[in-house]
Amino acid sequence: MLTARTQKVIEKSIEMAATWNHEFVTMEHILLALTEDAQIQALFKSGNVKNVELQSELKTFLDQMVPKQVPATAGSKTPKMALPKLTLAIQ
């Protein structure tokens, strides 16, 4: 069972992948979704991670490096997870 926050991040990463017309959700989609979470932003700040720069780099990578869906599957509304499906018990 996923927490509400974790579910929100997963849903946001799927939405991002669909926006870019990516066939798969990658770790970069998940990390980009995490950069929008207030607690993660605070964690990044404490580690001197520049959130805006990280977001920019991830968006550039996703736009330029992650393959788009091929026309035969472009009608698919939900990208697939690039990682094996895991059952998570996060407390």
Side-chain angles (χ1 to χ4, degrees):
M1 180 149 117
L2 300 175
T3 65
R5 273 184 58 220
T6 303
Q7 185 66 36
K8 183 177 176 182
V9 167
I10 297 296
E11 289 171 359
K12 183 66 177 177
S13 65
I14 292 169
E15 178 184 310
M16 290 175 174
T19 298
W20 267 293
N21 198 34
H22 293 156
E23 184 173 2
F24 295 98
V25 176
T26 66
M27 292 301 295
E28 291 81 11
H29 294 103
I30 295 169
L31 181 55
L32 184 57
L34 282 168
T35 65
E36 296 182 1
D37 181 90
Q39 288 182 336
I40 298 299
Q41 289 174 354
L43 177 67
F44 285 166
K45 186 175 181 177
S46 72
N48 294 321
V49 174
K50 294 180 173 113
N51 197 54
V52 172
E53 288 180 25
L54 177 59
Q55 288 174 330
S56 177
E57 290 291 326
L58 286 166
K59 289 176 182 178
T60 298
F61 177 85
L62 288 166
D63 190 49
Q64 296 176 1
M65 303 301 291
V66 177
K68 307 287 189 223
Q69 289 191 48
V70 294
T73 61
S76 175
K77 293 185 180 189
T78 306
K80 301 173 191 91
M81 295 298 287
L83 304 170
K85 188 173 182 178
L86 301 175
T87 303
L88 303 174
I90 301 173
Q91 298 184 19

